[in-house]
Amino acid sequence: MNQLEISGFLGAASFLAGFLGALSGLGGGVVIVPLLVLAFGVDIHYAMGASLVSVIATSSGAAAAYVREGISNIRIGMFLEIATTIGAIVGALLASSSPTRLLAVVFGIVLLYSAGMSVRRRKPAATDGPPDRIARMLRLDGAMPVDGDWIPYRTRRVPLGFGLMFGAGTLSGLLGIGSGAVKVLAMDEAMQIPFKVSTTTSNFMIGVTAAASAGIFLSRGYIQPGLAMPVTLGVLAGSILGARFLTRAKVKTIRIIFAIVIASLGVEMIYNAFSGRLS
Amino acid sequence: MQVLSRNDSAIDKRIGILLRVGVLLSAAVIALGGLIYLSQSGTAIVSYHHFVGAPDGLRFVPQIVREALRGNGLAVIQFGILLLIATPVARVVFSVIAFALERDWLYVAISCIVLAVLIYSLIGHAA
């Protein structure tokens, strides 16, 4: 294929990924790497580079909207970014010494996990109970708008959340993804923050986390502008359009369909790693 | 609580605008670079099947800026990507200032740690 054809096909496919990612709330970034590797035969390191750049674009774009609505907790985000950015550097350094097969298997597992997370039932967060000592020291408790009122919430198990966030950052740098599914897990399950807050705060953090590994990706030559250009512009345009349709679409159905797509990509990544098609 | 409470919508709004402007500006530069690149070498056969790494001129900030100023399409795309990477970094810088204005020194320190990690990642490997 020549560069014009590659740009056209990749741009269109990335647009679709961004559109479905925004509609389903799962983010398009997680499907970019398998899409490039499996459908276009792109080397996994280049695919990770292009994916990481698109993740920064969609995260910053979406975070702009959330910050203005005042749902994300900037203190929680900033504190946990210490863990995610250090993790991201560790992950990016590990990526260059990891063989393609290993990266593909880890990626497959993360895809399966993300698919499972996206269809799970969410339980409401606790709003009462004793305050957490560390959360109080760091002033992580907050309030969120519900029907025009400000409802306070508490943050718990800060060290566990911090540790999980380090893991989320490492995966982000290792695979060139936002790893929003792990971030939301750390905040929802471990720290018990209301999911509206955890989802938006996670989105807020993804860009900063990705920027930490982007410097290393760039200097190692993972970011090929010829690939990153159509992917980033496609995903960004798709996600902006997807966010506009969000209020009118049947989100649940789309979520399930997209989860199935993600899961099958995960199986295919693992299968290809073991069958030796990726090396 | 001030940063997330309703009293600080002005700071929130500015951070929101900063992120949006950063993303749209970088997207415009990336698109411009794409147009230059595709108009010059759109019919070139390229392969991304095997990893050789982006050329040195597209890996480090000074070289990228120099090549972009010469009108190299790929370098202009890469410069747009640098702007995109700088957007969340600028957000952290902004947070340091916002927390300092609130005299919240604990969070000034936390934001500075994050900023230091980001700077290490961006320039610590330029050798």
Side-chain angles (χ1 to χ4, degrees):
Chain A
M1 278 195 282
N2 69 28
Q3 183 61 49
L4 216 61
E5 290 162 343
I6 289 181
S7 301
F9 284 126
L10 275 184
S14 305
F15 180 85
L16 194 66
F19 184 73
L20 290 175
L23 270 187
S24 61
L26 299 175
V30 80
V31 299
I32 291 296
V33 172
L35 184 78
L36 262 60
V37 171
L38 298 172
F40 291 89
V42 171
D43 172 83
I44 198 165
H45 296 93
Y46 288 152
M48 283 160 43
S51 163
L52 190 74
V53 175
S54 76
V55 161
I56 299 177
T58 48
S59 154
S60 299
Y66 293 136
V67 175
R68 295 209 311 197
E69 286 164 31
I71 313 171
S72 63
N73 186 324
I74 294 177
R75 267 172 231 271
I76 294 180
M78 192 57 76
F79 173 65
L80 294 177
E81 274 165 11
I82 296 177
T84 61
T85 49
I86 295 175
I89 291 180
V90 171
L93 293 175
L94 281 176
S96 53
S97 55
S98 303
T100 297
R101 280 180 168 193
L102 179 68
L103 291 175
V105 171
V106 176
F107 211 110
I109 294 169
V110 171
L111 286 169
L112 288 174
Y113 164 78
S114 304
M117 281 287 289
S118 67
V119 290
R120 101 209 139 102
R121 222 179 277 271
R122 282 169 157 164
K123 53 175 191 267
T127 48
D128 51 355
D132 183 284
R133 204 167 52 87
I134 302 174
R136 171 174 279 187
M137 208 175 73
L138 292 165
R139 280 168 288 140
L140 297 179
D141 297 337
M144 66 167 191
V146 179
D147 304 326
D149 282 328
W150 286 78
I151 310 293
Y153 59 85
R154 293 199 192 286
T155 304
R156 287 164 227 273
R157 292 191 285 186
V158 178
L160 179 63
F162 194 82
L164 284 171
M165 278 298 172
F166 177 81
T170 307
L171 280 179
S172 168
L174 184 68
L175 305 174
I177 57 175
S179 57
V182 185
K183 286 193 176 73
V184 172
L185 172 85
M187 287 190 273
D188 267 21
E189 303 283 332
M191 302 174 78
Q192 297 183 4
I193 303 162
F195 63 76
K196 224 178 180 175
V197 179
S198 66
T199 312
T200 50
T201 306
S202 155
N203 216 317
F204 194 69
M205 298 168 62
I206 285 172
V208 173
T209 310
S213 28
I216 295 170
F217 273 34
L218 191 70
S219 65
R220 302 255 155 131
Y222 291 8
I223 299 176
Q224 273 286 9
L227 281 174
M229 179 262 295
V231 169
T232 304
L233 295 179
V235 171
L236 188 62
S239 66
I240 290 171
L241 196 72
R244 294 231 164 145
F245 275 94
L246 198 55
T247 45
R248 281 179 269 167
K250 287 182 181 161
V251 174
K252 206 180 167 197
T253 320
I254 295 165
R255 242 185 135 77
I256 291 169
I257 295 172
F258 203 54
I260 294 170
V261 172
I262 290 176
S264 32
L265 286 171
V267 171
E268 210 171 332
M269 285 292 274
I270 295 171
Y271 173 77
N272 278 295
F274 284 111
S275 70
R277 252 195 65 202
L278 298 174
S279 57
Chain B
M1 288 294 106
Q2 295 317 309
V3 166
L4 85 135
S5 81
R6 58 231 95 149
N7 306 328
D8 284 273
S9 55
I11 288 174
D12 288 352
K13 205 174 263 177
R14 267 180 241 163
I15 291 181
I17 292 169
L18 170 87
L19 290 171
R20 193 158 295 184
V21 169
V23 170
L24 291 179
L25 185 68
S26 355
V29 174
I30 293 172
L32 174 72
L35 283 177
I36 297 172
Y37 174 55
L38 291 179
S39 66
Q40 285 172 353
S41 38
T43 51
I45 304 294
V46 283
S47 165
Y48 299 108
H49 295 307
H50 298 289
F51 183 76
V52 281
D56 278 353
L58 299 174
R59 287 192 195 195
F60 306 108
V61 178
Q63 287 92 325
I64 291 171
V65 173
R66 197 187 318 138
E67 284 294 310
L69 289 174
R70 279 191 196 146
N72 176 341
L74 286 176
V76 175
I77 297 174
Q78 212 74 324
F79 183 70
I81 291 172
L82 284 180
L83 288 179
L84 195 59
I85 297 171
T87 302
V89 180
R91 202 214 84 201
V92 176
V93 172
F94 205 94
S95 301
V96 173
I97 298 167
F99 284 124
L101 288 176
E102 286 175 13
R103 303 184 177 283
D104 185 342
W105 306 118
L106 176 65
Y107 274 86
V108 169
I110 288 174
S111 310
C112 282
I113 295 172
V114 175
L115 193 59
V117 176
L118 285 172
I119 291 170
Y120 167 77
S121 149
L122 291 171
I123 61 170
H125 301 265

